[in-house]
Amino acid sequence: MSHQAALSLLLPFVFACGSMDGPGATHPMDPMNPDPVKTTQVSLSLGPVTVQPGAEVTQCYTGHFTNTLPMDVVQIDSQLFSTHHVIFYREDPTATDAPVHECQALNINPFGQSQKAPLFIGETEKATLKLPAGVAYEFAAGAPYTLEVHFINASTKPIDGTATVTLTLAPTSAQITKADMLFYATIRALSSPGLPPHETTILPPSFHQPPAGINVFGLTSHQHRIGSDFTIAKSAGKDDPGQMLFENKDWQHPPLLRFPDDKLLTFDPQKGEGLKWQCSYNNTNDFTVKFGQSAFTNEMCILWAYYYPAQGFDVYFE
């Protein structure tokens, strides 16, 4: 499926969102000591947000870092409460600060001219992404960012949801290789005909070849409430069983597969190697479930991965 064809399916769920500097955000560098010897941290947070029983809400804000020199992020930690996911985005350089407000989840539009793209997505109560030695996400002085949080309350009482993302920075003198993300999704099979009520459905496998010469150091999956299984393999096509890399049967707590630094995932373009993924669902609802943003009434089938050297935010929709 072409990017442009997929865009027509995705656009109803993709909107711009923004915000102000988050509560608890700290200066990434002391302006009196712009070249620190020790690693420093930046903490970004959103919440508490009161969510009623059976409800979900997504909120975002956009701010600008206060660093006066370029900074390199070498580790990202997140901590969530009553939250489906938190996403930390690099923003387009022209982005302006905007206050916390409701927005659409998974806010990406890779077919436009904006440089906005996610760099980290946390899906479990606590998550850590440690980049390999000498690898980092790079931010220019005063760079803009966005924090997006999808709150969900499946309980019978109101909850106060919160999310915090902590960025660990390398010394400014460190020599680094830039990192970026892959983001591959199955949309067409979930949009038409969708998942029939009271049936178990296994979607056809999807496949895509990443950019040549990359090293993948982290990999995970994303489904919603009726997702029952997600598999990812390194293979040479949809019909090739390949090498199984990842399987998750718990949609709420998908693990982050972190490859060892000396055994990173690579691909041989001469052999046509890439990533093959496949999703299964058990629709216990009385209605057909289709692709969409709601964790209660819609479904997704998405893998994302963290890689270097950066060749841009690599997106594929099938």
Side-chain angles (χ1 to χ4, degrees):
M1 188 178 191
S2 71
H3 282 186
Q4 293 300 329
L7 178 59
S8 64
L9 293 174
L10 187 65
L11 276 182
F13 311 102
V14 177
F15 299 87
C17 62
S19 80
M20 63 185 177
D21 201 15
T26 58
H27 287 197
M29 293 182 184
D30 181 351
M32 300 302 294
N33 181 24
D35 189 16
V37 175
K38 295 182 179 180
T39 300
T40 56
Q41 292 186 325
V42 183
S43 182
L44 310 172
S45 61
L46 200 156
V49 174
T50 300
V51 186
Q52 299 302 318
E56 57 184 328
V57 62
T58 301
Q59 294 197 347
C60 302
Y61 71 82
T62 299
H64 282 72
F65 292 118
T66 58
N67 56 309
T68 56
L69 293 174
M71 68 179 190
D72 301 320
V73 176
V74 296
Q75 180 171 315
I76 303 179
D77 295 88
S78 63
Q79 186 162 0
L80 312 178
F81 179 73
S82 296
T83 303
H84 184 37
H85 65 248
V86 60
I87 305 181
F88 169 65
Y89 294 88
R90 67 163 170 257
E91 264 293 355
D92 191 83
T94 61
T96 57
D97 288 3
V100 175
H101 68 283
E102 289 193 28
C103 60
Q104 198 69 32
L106 282 174
N107 172 30
I108 62 169
N109 184 355
F111 311 109
Q113 299 302 313
S114 175
Q115 297 179 35
K116 179 176 183 176
L119 293 178
F120 171 80
I121 307 176
E123 301 182 274
T124 55
E125 183 178 352
K126 291 184 179 180
T128 296
L129 175 67
K130 185 176 182 180
L131 282 69
V135 178
Y137 289 131
E138 186 177 62
F139 289 89
Y145 65 89
T146 286
L147 197 69
E148 172 196 302
V149 186
H150 184 175
F151 299 100
I152 184 169
N153 184 4
S155 72
T156 59
K157 297 181 179 180
I159 57 93
D160 288 329
T162 60
T164 299
V165 170
T166 301
L167 312 177
T168 300
L169 311 181
T172 56
S173 58
Q175 298 297 312
I176 62 98
T177 299
K178 296 180 184 179
D180 218 306
M181 278 187 67
L182 313 176
F183 190 94
Y184 302 160
T186 301
I187 297 176
R188 181 170 55 183
L190 276 174
S191 300
S192 178
L195 307 172
H198 303 292
E199 287 190 20
T200 296
T201 302
I202 302 175
L203 297 183
S206 298
F207 174 82
H208 188 63
Q209 286 184 271
I214 69 167
N215 302 277
V216 170
F217 57 89
L219 184 71
T220 191
S221 64
H222 185 77
Q223 290 177 291
H224 289 169
R225 186 174 56 87
I226 63 172
S228 57
D229 193 34
F230 197 120
T231 61
I232 304 174
K234 174 182 174 179
S235 80
K238 294 181 181 180
D239 298 326
D240 174 25
Q243 173 192 356
M244 183 64 67
L245 301 171
F246 175 98
E247 183 171 19
N248 179 52
K249 296 180 181 291
D250 182 357
W251 73 272
Q252 278 189 298
H253 305 99
L256 173 63
L257 174 60
R258 175 62 165 84
F259 296 96
D261 286 3
D262 60 348
K263 295 181 180 179
L264 299 176
L265 180 63
T266 60
F267 305 90
D268 186 343
Q270 300 301 318
K271 297 180 180 179
E273 291 180 342
L275 290 170
K276 182 178 79 170
W277 66 99
Q278 189 166 26
C279 290
S280 301
Y281 304 88
N282 180 22
N283 187 2
T284 57
N285 297 296
D286 295 327
F287 54 88
T288 297
V289 174
K290 297 189 176 185
F291 172 84
Q293 296 291 344
S294 172
F296 286 126
T297 60
N298 298 130
E299 266 303 335
M300 288 187 172
C301 177
I302 302 173
L303 77 81
W304 55 77
Y306 305 93
Y307 81 93
Y308 74 91
Q311 298 185 39
F313 179 52
D314 189 55
V315 182
Y316 175 75
F317 299 143
E318 184 171 302

